[in-house]
Amino acid sequence: MAQKVTIRDLAEAAGVSVTTVSQILNGKGDRFSNDTRDRVLKLQEKLGYVPDYNARNLIMGSTQTIGVLVPNLANPFFSMFIKGIQQVAQSHHFVPIIFDANQNQKLQSMYLEELIKRAANGLIIASATLDANDIDRILTRNGIPYLLFDQNDAQIGDRVWVDDYKGGQMAANYLLSQGHRRISLLVGQDITHNIQQRISGFRAGMAKYHLTLADEMVVQTSMTKLGGYQATATVLAKKPTAVFCINDEMAIGLYRGVQEQGIKIPDDLSIMGYDDIDLADFVTPKLTTIHQPAFEMGQVATELLIERLNNPRLTHQDKQLPLELITRDSVKLIQSGIH
Amino acid sequence: MAQKVTIRDLAEAAGVSVTTVSQILNGKGDRFSNDTRDRVLKLQEKLGYVPDYNARNLIMGSTQTIGVLVPNLANPFFSMFIKGIQQVAQSHHFVPIIFDANQNQKLQSMYLEELIKRAANGLIIASATLDANDIDRILTRNGIPYLLFDQNDAQIGDRVWVDDYKGGQMAANYLLSQGHRRISLLVGQDITHNIQQRISGFRAGMAKYHLTLADEMVVQTSMTKLGGYQATATVLAKKPTAVFCINDEMAIGLYRGVQEQGIKIPDDLSIMGYDDIDLADFVTPKLTTIHQPAFEMGQVATELLIERLNNPRLTHQDKQLPLELITRDSVKLIQSGIH
DNA sequence: TAAGCTTGGGGGACCGCTTTAATATAACCA
DNA sequence: TGGTTATATTAAAGCGGTCCCCCAAGCTTA
């Protein structure tokens, strides 16, 4: 490879000073003659000069980088979330660095450090296992603005959220309106704040019907397809008429387990999910679920963060996005004596 | 935020010179007394000193960064691929910067430039729409090693691949062995080299049975679930007994379209996919497909690239990974007079 | 005609770090 | 005792940029 061309090379070639080149290339060249300006620009093209990223950032103090931490890239919800991030980051000339922390505590800390090292301007963190206060401590110490996602309890950092409590209620209402009374709840291992909200909302929804969700009706497993599948027997043992899965992935896993037993959805068992990943529309039967606007959430999260980057002394930002019940084919209307 | 702590602050606090601190922190501190070393290390912890990334890279000339370009993050195949990349990158102290080019030509070029600007040490490119020669020209001009993926025609850059030709054959063989003769092929819009191989292999497989794949039996659509779904009518119109989808995503889309018509898989129609994304095991009926080791491919790709980074004058690297037929429930054994 | 603008351009400090080469002291050996 | 070597530490030269501030020459203007 040819030796890298520096600003000094370019200056020399153009017969001007380094200052002149720098100014012109940074759009501050009004005070130079057209002649000089053209010459520099032409020569830049010709020599293929690209300002050294590190040198530039060193002095500018910004990397135009946003760090992103998600628990699982393979979950379509997060794929969409990331796509949203990428889109608006790009339009603001930021670059997202994405880490899949794999729900692994240690890895997350590592990545967090890596992002700090790399002087990310801001962070978007969707972490189940990192403690919000830990994050806050380490990040504010380093003066890095961030936005917490999927973990909205702590009143720190900015926030983009959906009303999970209401989402839980919506799910309950719908299931109950379809006549279901014996409902099982399928949840993950570590209950983040937002999930907790969903559950509470669901409970509240049942309470309105003067029903309570017995503890024995909630079963825990990992929040993946496999987790849902593995929980099949346990769920079935509860003899529910419907099960509300705390995310679509698990619902899809449960689909398989249930269908393997020859049980028909929704005739023998109704299943409801949460997230509305693209897949929900492609399984058989199509999954009834609560739609979370993952892509928009990514967009808004990034917008808020960049907003704060531009204006550090903004007060706490908070944006809520709407949830929506998507009724498809996985929940059956059953007879019910009540109501 | 407290002013960022620099190496000078730390040096002063420890009562030693900047050099000393630098050396100790970079593991070259053998020549200093234990006393000094401990003092510096302790103080680093206490002050929370993190070396400035840009300053460091400026002088070191390396960013420890690998750029990754994929066509679609939401495709589970690429999610897994990326997970593989992340894993080995991490273990070699590299950080992947991932871009989802969204099958958009312009975006891809933009991202490529961005990656060059950011002085990525090397690139892994899975691009359908960028011309291999263009990539090569721009990248070698900048002296950046790279590895092309899913586009193996060009004999440039390193290469990790599976034998798609054989994969196509395997699919054909299996379908034919199950008695299918009237087979439709569902492919994408832009046929990359590897896909072309799959198709050729498939054709060759049929040829062995003295059959030919009529052009009218191949239908094109976009390589997504939605694409598969939208192709339903066209596919059905061909009246095949089986259809081979060039990737699993399309197969799953087709599943839905077909099932909406009340057509039973595999009883009325057999469907076969390619990739073996995790989902293949969770749809109903479970999808018979050809397994591509996405995760391993990500791992190997990264290993090869890092290998080259460490040793630029390596000869062309080439690694082949095995394909595997995964028979599940979406292909039916039908009566056949032949064989 | 001297002071003051305007126009076009350059010198050089500095960003935070690594590394080379040099210095100072202590220890060892014959 | 003087020379050699080992031990412990540092001064200073950059890396490739940006930007503050100064400079020179030609024109006005009162």
Side-chain angles (χ1 to χ4, degrees), chain A residues 33-259:
Chain A
S33 66
N34 286 331
D35 182 39
T36 311
R37 219 173 325 166
D38 291 352
R39 195 147 28 94
V40 170
L41 260 16
K42 287 247 165 58
L43 242 27
Q44 171 189 26
E45 186 71 20
K46 185 170 160 211
L47 301 185
Y49 167 69
V50 178
D52 183 89
Y53 175 77
N54 292 121
R56 191 156 207 277
N57 287 161
L58 170 57
I59 206 162
M60 306 291 270
S62 168
T63 53
Q64 293 300 104
T65 297
I66 292 176
V68 181
L69 215 57
V70 297
N72 184 10
L73 254 180
N75 182 331
F77 176 80
F78 287 109
S79 304
M80 289 316 288
F81 182 63
I82 288 171
K83 283 191 175 224
I85 292 176
Q86 288 200 127
Q87 194 217 51
V88 358
Q90 194 246 85
S91 75
H92 289 261
H93 305 287
F94 275 86
V95 168
I97 294 191
I98 297 145
F99 286 119
D100 177 348
N102 223 8
Q103 21 232 24
N104 173 334
Q105 168 96 247
K106 273 218 184 72
L107 215 53
Q108 281 183 40
S109 306
M110 255 203 46
Y111 284 150
L112 214 54
E113 296 231 337
E114 187 64 40
L115 288 168
I116 294 173
K117 265 205 295 220
R118 294 192 167 235
N121 292 115
L123 262 44
I124 294 176
I125 304 175
S127 165
T129 58
L130 239 38
D131 181 66
N133 293 307
D134 283 354
I135 295 179
D136 185 65
R137 194 170 36 67
I138 179 165
L139 253 30
T140 53
R141 163 146 72 116
N142 286 278
I144 303 181
Y146 67 93
L147 188 148
L148 242 41
F149 187 80
D150 258 26
Q151 190 177 11
N152 302 323
D153 50 342
Q155 284 308 317
I156 38 186
D158 292 320
R159 186 178 173 202
V160 36
W161 62 300
V162 293
D163 190 341
D164 276 292
Y165 186 85
K166 193 168 147 206
Q169 278 189 47
M170 288 163 71
N173 286 343
Y174 180 67
L175 251 20
L176 293 166
S177 78
Q178 298 302 298
H180 295 277
R181 292 296 175 270
R182 191 166 172 82
I183 303 172
S184 174
L185 193 60
L186 190 54
V187 303
Q189 317 273 30
D190 21 42
I191 311 283
T192 53
H193 179 72
N194 61 334
I195 302 271
Q196 184 53 59
Q197 287 295 95
R198 261 176 234 175
I199 299 174
S200 302
F202 192 82
R203 282 211 148 87
M206 289 191 70
K208 269 209 221 144
Y209 279 62
H210 306 295
L211 295 170
T212 68
L213 178 67
D215 280 352
E216 83 219 24
M217 291 303 278
V218 359
V219 355
Q220 289 200 326
T221 184
S222 79
M223 289 181 66
T224 60
K225 287 189 274 298
L226 189 57
Y229 175 65
Q230 288 167 338
T232 308
T234 317
V235 169
L236 258 22
K238 316 286 185 197
K239 307 245 178 243
T241 64
V243 14
F244 173 42
C245 301
I246 221 69
N247 79 3
D248 287 351
E249 290 262 299
M250 294 166 94
I252 288 168
L254 186 60
Y255 260 51
R256 166 174 153 191
V258 159
Q259 288 171 336

Side-chain angles (χ1 to χ4, degrees), chain A residues 1 45 47-48 50-55 57-58 62-65 71-74 79-80 82-83 86 90 93-100 102 107 110-111 114 116-119 140-143 225-226 229 249 252-253 255-256 259-260 278-279 281-284 286, chain B residues 1-2 4 45-48 50-55 57-58 62-65 71-74 79-80 82-83 86 90 94-100 102 107 110-111 114 117-119 140-143 225-226 229 252-253 255-256 259-260 278-279 281-284 286:
Chain A
M1 150 194 199
E45 186 71 20
L47 301 185
V50 178
D52 183 89
Y53 175 77
N54 292 121
N57 287 161
L58 170 57
S62 168
T63 53
Q64 293 300 104
T65 297
N72 184 10
L73 254 180
S79 304
M80 289 316 288
I82 288 171
K83 283 191 175 224
Q86 288 200 127
Q90 194 246 85
H93 305 287
F94 275 86
V95 168
I97 294 191
I98 297 145
F99 286 119
D100 177 348
N102 223 8
L107 215 53
M110 255 203 46
Y111 284 150
E114 187 64 40
I116 294 173
K117 265 205 295 220
R118 294 192 167 235
T140 53
R141 163 146 72 116
N142 286 278
K225 287 189 274 298
L226 189 57
Y229 175 65
E249 290 262 299
I252 288 168
Y255 260 51
R256 166 174 153 191
Q259 288 171 336
E260 276 180 7
D278 61 347
L279 214 59
D281 206 21
F282 285 95
V283 288
T284 310
K286 293 178 195 164
Chain B
M1 143 196 200
K4 182 165 187 173
E45 186 71 20
K46 185 171 162 210
L47 302 185
V50 179
D52 183 89
Y53 175 76
N54 292 120
N57 286 160
L58 170 56
S62 166
T63 53
Q64 294 300 105
T65 297
N72 184 10
L73 256 181
S79 304
M80 289 315 289
I82 287 172
K83 283 192 175 224
Q86 290 201 123
Q90 195 245 84
F94 276 86
V95 168
I97 294 190
I98 298 146
F99 286 119
D100 176 349
N102 223 9
L107 214 54
M110 257 203 43
Y111 284 150
E114 187 64 39
K117 263 207 295 225
R118 296 196 166 232
T140 52
R141 162 147 73 114
N142 286 277
K225 285 189 277 293
L226 189 59
Y229 175 65
I252 288 167
Y255 259 51
R256 165 175 152 189
Q259 288 171 336
E260 275 180 8
D278 59 349
L279 215 59
D281 206 21
F282 285 94
V283 289
T284 310
K286 293 179 196 164

Side-chain angles (χ1 to χ4, degrees), chain B residues 9-25:
Chain B
D9 300 331
L10 179 47
E12 198 167 336
V16 297
S17 77
V18 171
T19 307
T20 307
V21 174
S22 173
Q23 299 284 48
I24 289 177
L25 263 35

